[in-house]
Amino acid sequence: VQLQASGGGLVEAGGSRKLSCAASRMILSTFTSFNSMGWYRQAPGKQRELVARINSDGNTNYADSVKGRFTISKNNSKKTLYLQMNSLKPEDSAIYFCNLDLPQQGNSWGQGTQVTVSS
């Protein structure tokens, strides 16, 4: 399973950024059969943490630190997962990874995209 993450970059505090994670080589029926898909992040010297996740029942989970600022969504026809990040803070700076958990293929990770928020 190949996941291509993009959209990272340098942004000023208070700004917005939208991350994308494309599973372009995946057939649609596999993409929509997910157990969960989500975004994680890892800052220097810290453990990787869950940022946001969509479960197969449609429910979403967000880290407390991003609730009300970040929104996770997906476009099945494009086989792409998104993370809209608003009101960014310097503490949001990290490498962001997308994750896809499939029933047969298991867990897959994108390559990570760096988000840096300047104060």
Side-chain angles (χ1 to χ4, degrees):
V1 176
Q2 280 193 327
L3 301 175
Q4 184 68 38
S6 61
L10 178 63
V11 60
E12 291 186 351
S16 298
R17 202 81 183 180
K18 188 173 185 177
L19 305 183
S20 300
C21 178
S24 56
R25 295 188 178 185
M26 188 180 298
I27 61 174
L28 182 57
S29 60
T30 299
F31 183 80
T32 56
S33 71
F34 68 99
N35 291 323
S36 67
M37 54 176 72
W39 291 94
Y40 292 72
R41 67 186 180 187
Q42 188 167 16
K46 295 187 177 181
Q47 289 189 333
R48 189 173 297 189
E49 64 175 357
L50 173 68
V51 177
R53 179 174 58 209
I54 297 176
N55 299 309
S56 58
D57 60 3
N59 287 330
T60 56
N61 304 109
Y62 292 92
D64 288 342
S65 59
V66 307
K67 283 181 181 177
R69 300 188 297 121
F70 290 13
T71 303
I72 190 170
S73 63
K74 61 182 177 68
N75 184 317
N76 287 339
S77 63
K78 294 184 177 180
K79 295 174 287 184
T80 301
L81 178 70
Y82 302 101
L83 184 68
Q84 177 66 48
M85 306 184 294
N86 299 328
S87 302
L88 283 161
K89 304 175 181 180
E91 51 263 42
D92 294 318
S93 297
I95 300 174
Y96 284 71
F97 299 89
C98 56
N99 172 270
L100 185 60
D101 181 15
L102 297 170
Q104 293 187 352
Q105 294 84 349
N107 253 317
S108 296
W109 293 90
Q111 85 283 10
T113 184
Q114 175 74 50
V115 174
T116 303
V117 184
S118 63
S119 57

